[in-house]
Amino acid sequence: CQHKNDDLNKINLITLVHPWINNLNKFDKENNTELLLNLKTYFENNRNANDTSSKLKIHRSTFFYRFNKIQSLLGISLDDSNNLFKLELSFKISNYSQFTDNF
């Protein structure tokens, strides 16, 4: 993340966050929704729909409605392991970047 030597090119980690995250964040702000929170909570609960809906205090069918809405908005399948990896890695980078910004 940070290196004391000036001979290495530094990049801002947040640039490695997949554009899908930014697209969801933008949609949430424009439409007063919480799709990004739903997706993040899904990953935090090991991709378990029951645990996610309990954590969010929503009905399981509401979670699946939002889950399908995310897929539709992004034009992707959340059954694809490569897509899941990109999103999960993006969340981890974002969390790490927020952590390091506090120091």
Side-chain angles (χ1 to χ4, degrees), residues 33-83:
T33 57
E34 295 183 329
L35 298 178
L36 188 59
L37 174 64
N38 281 257
L39 188 59
K40 184 176 181 183
T41 306
Y42 177 66
F43 283 110
E44 289 170 350
N45 286 279
N46 297 315
R47 303 179 193 164
N48 183 302
N50 289 330
D51 292 346
T52 302
S53 57
S54 294
K55 179 80 174 184
L56 293 170
K57 297 180 175 136
I58 59 175
H59 194 274
R60 194 167 172 259
S61 63
T62 302
F63 167 76
F64 282 113
Y65 170 79
R66 293 176 183 174
F67 189 81
N68 289 323
K69 180 78 172 175
I70 292 166
Q71 292 184 105
S72 176
L73 280 170
L74 299 179
I76 63 169
S77 170
L78 293 174
D79 292 328
D80 183 320
S81 62
N82 287 322
N83 293 339

Side-chain angles (χ1 to χ4, degrees), residues 4-50:
K4 303 287 183 199
N5 231 342
D6 287 332
D7 61 338
L8 290 178
N9 292 328
K10 296 180 195 175
I11 61 167
N12 185 345
L13 278 182
I14 211 69
T15 61
L16 300 176
V17 172
H18 200 282
W20 292 334
I21 299 294
N22 297 328
N23 293 345
L24 275 180
N25 191 31
K26 182 180 176 186
F27 181 87
D28 282 347
K29 287 179 181 177
E30 292 173 352
N31 297 283
N32 198 29
T33 57
E34 295 183 329
L35 298 178
L36 188 59
L37 174 64
N38 281 257
L39 188 59
K40 184 176 181 183
T41 306
Y42 177 66
F43 283 110
E44 289 170 350
N45 286 279
N46 297 315
R47 303 179 193 164
N48 183 302
N50 289 330

Side-chain angles (χ1 to χ4, degrees), residues 71-100:
Q71 292 184 105
S72 176
L73 280 170
L74 299 179
I76 63 169
S77 170
L78 293 174
D79 292 328
D80 183 320
S81 62
N82 287 322
N83 293 339
L84 293 171
F85 174 77
K86 291 172 190 175
L87 288 165
E88 192 161 16
L89 181 60
S90 293
F91 282 123
K92 293 197 181 290
I93 290 170
S94 180
N95 288 340
Y96 179 76
S97 180
Q98 288 173 4
F99 174 77
T100 58

